Amino acid sequence: MSPRFSIIIPIYKVEAFLRPCVDSVLSQSFRDFEVLLTDDGSPDGCPAICDAYAAADSRIKVIHKENGGLSDARNAGLSAASGEYIIFLDSDDYYLSTDFLKAIDEKITETGCDAVFFRRRKFLQATDTLLPPPAPFPETAGMSCGEVLKSLSARDMLDASAALKATRRAFLLKNDLFFKKRLFSEDVEWFFRYAPLLQSVATLNFPAYCYRIREGSISHSLTEKNVRDLFSSIESYAEIIRDSNLENKSALLNYMAYQYYIVLGLCHCVVKGAARRELFKALRRYRWLTDYSISGKTKKCALLMRLCGVRLSAVILGTYIKEK
C-alpha cells in the first residue's frame, strides 16, 4: 500500500543543515510517509549521512545521482516517489512542529483537494533568529479553486514555492509537472504551469515550515542569467494566461505582475550596459501586466510606474531590493 506522503528532499552541499531537516520529518507524529533523499552529487559528507539514515529507517530511500541542479534532483525524487501526495522540502529548511504532517493529512481528509497550500516562517541564520509567523490565510472553506487563488493573490499571499504545497502525485504526473532544469526561479516557471490546472485547493493556517535564510544560498548570488530566466517565465506564459478563460486568471496575472516588478528592479541592480538597455526594451512590452495589479504591493508598484515610468521605477525598485 502506498504511503500518504512522499517527502522529497534534494540535497547538495548542506552537510551542516541536513540532519535537522531530516530529523524534523522523522519526528512527525503522523507516520505514514516515505522520505526520498536525493543526493545531487554532493561533494561533502551528505551522501554518507543519507546512507546512514536509510540504513536506520526503512521509510527512507536514497537516490545518488550526478549533479544536475535543484530541478533535476526534485524530478528524480518525483519519478521515484510512491506516495499519494508529494511534499518538497529544501534540505536546509525544517519543520517546526511534530504535528505538521498530521495537520496536512487532516486538511486533505476534510476537503479531498488536489493540493494544500501552507505558509512558512523565516529563520535568519546569521543572527540565529526565528521571525514571527506571517499573517494567517483568509477563510477559504467552500470557495472554488479560482476564488481561493484570487483571495490569496489579492492579499499578497500567493506563493509559487513548490515547498509550500502538498500536491496529489497523480495530478503532477498526469500533467507532466516536472521542473525545468538549470533554470533560476524554477518554482515560478513551474507554478505558471501548475496553477492553471488545479481543480481544488485548500489552505492550512499552520506555518510550521521553517525557511532558513543564509548567505551563500542560490537566492543571494544573482546574475544576469538569473534575471533573464525569471523574465523568460513571464514571456512564456503572460499572453497565454491573459487570453485564457481561466477562473483564476486575475490571480495569476497579479502574481505575474509582482514577478515583473522584481525583474524590473533586478534589471537595474544586476544587469549592466547594453544588456540592461535590451532588457528594458523587452520589459516595456509587458507593461500591460501592471493593469492586473490587485494586491497591496502590486498596486503600489503600478502607481509608481504611472508616476515615474519604467526607468526611474527600476531604480527605486532596485534600491528597495538591495536593501532587503
Side-chain angles (χ1 to χ4, degrees):
M1 185 175 177
S2 298
R4 181 65 143 175
F5 298 123
S6 290
I7 315 295
I8 297 172
I9 305 177
I11 296 162
Y12 185 73
K13 295 175 70 173
V14 287
E15 186 174 355
F17 310 113
L18 183 55
R19 288 185 179 89
C21 174
V22 178
D23 289 345
S24 75
V25 178
L26 297 182
S27 65
Q28 292 293 303
S29 59
F30 183 87
R31 310 293 292 171
D32 188 17
F33 61 81
E34 64 176 1
V35 180
L36 293 101
L37 301 178
T38 307
D39 163 34
D40 191 35
S42 190
D44 55 6
C46 286
I49 294 172
C50 292
D51 290 339
Y53 271 110
D57 194 316
S58 61
R59 294 171 300 173
I60 296 178
K61 302 176 183 177
V62 179
I63 300 170
H64 294 294
K65 58 181 287 299
E66 293 183 2
N67 179 253
L70 175 62
S71 292
D72 196 46
R74 283 177 170 173
N75 291 342
L78 179 55
S79 295
S82 62
E84 185 182 358
Y85 283 80
I86 299 294
I87 301 176
F88 295 101
L89 172 59
D90 291 343
S91 51
D92 50 355
D93 299 338
Y94 58 96
Y95 296 151
L96 290 164
S97 170
T98 57
D99 289 329
F100 187 45
L101 294 184
K102 178 183 176 183
I104 297 173
D105 174 68
E106 289 174 349
K107 181 64 68 171
I108 291 170
T109 301
E110 174 190 336
T111 63
C113 57
D114 286 334
V116 176
F117 289 6
F118 39 89
R119 306 204 73 188
R120 66 187 177 187
R121 292 181 67 177
K122 295 179 180 179
F123 177 79
L124 305 182
Q125 181 68 28
T127 58
D128 196 32
T129 303
L130 180 64
L131 298 185
F137 284 132
E139 179 57 54
T140 58
M143 288 185 178
S144 67
C145 181
E147 290 170 337
V148 172
L149 295 185
K150 184 175 181 179
S151 179
L152 299 185
S153 192
R155 291 170 171 81
D156 291 308
M157 293 180 176
L158 195 59
D159 196 316
S161 174
L164 300 182
K165 297 161 183 62
T167 308
R168 196 183 302 274
R169 181 169 62 97
F171 168 82
L172 294 174
L173 297 180
K174 176 184 176 181
N175 294 295
D176 196 29
L177 288 167
F178 290 87
F179 296 85
K180 289 195 174 180
K181 300 176 185 178
R182 300 295 185 184
L183 185 71
F184 177 76
S185 292
E186 63 284 319
D187 284 13
V188 173
E189 191 282 334
W190 173 83
F191 186 73
F192 288 149
R193 290 182 285 122
Y194 168 93
L197 300 173
L198 283 174
Q199 296 298 309
S200 58
V201 61
T203 55
L204 177 64
N205 277 313
F206 194 169
Y209 186 104
C210 188
Y211 171 53
R212 190 189 302 269
I213 299 176
R214 58 190 178 96
E215 295 299 324
S217 63
I218 293 174
S219 60
H220 284 83
S221 54
L222 296 176
T223 66
E224 180 182 327
K225 179 186 181 304
N226 301 150
V227 181
R228 290 187 178 277
D229 280 354
L230 182 53
F231 182 52
S232 175
S233 296
I234 294 172
E235 290 181 299
S236 296
Y237 302 106
E239 283 90 355
I240 293 173
I241 294 174
R242 181 193 62 188
D243 298 338
S244 73
N245 295 317
L246 290 169
E247 182 190 10
N248 57 22
K249 177 165 68 173
S250 63
L252 297 180
L253 289 175
N254 175 69
Y255 185 75
M256 191 172 286
Y258 176 75
Q259 298 299 328
Y260 173 84
Y261 299 130
I262 291 175
V263 172
L264 195 63
L266 291 176
C267 184
H268 170 74
C269 60
V270 176
V271 185
K272 306 299 180 184
R276 179 194 288 176
R277 292 191 293 273
E278 173 201 343
L279 189 51
F280 270 134
K281 183 178 179 180
L283 281 163
R284 284 192 176 93
R285 296 199 299 270
Y286 289 89
R287 187 169 178 171
W288 57 264
L289 279 167
T290 65
D291 295 336
Y292 292 89
S293 301
I294 63 173
S295 70
K297 289 181 181 179
T298 57
K299 283 180 179 179
K300 289 178 183 177
C301 291
L303 177 60
L304 178 67
M305 293 278 285
R306 286 196 296 272
L307 294 175
C308 301
V310 172
R311 289 274 184 160
L312 184 54
S313 294
V315 174
I316 296 170
L317 291 170
T319 302
Y320 174 77
I321 290 171
K322 276 186 176 181
E323 292 177 350
K324 296 289 283 186

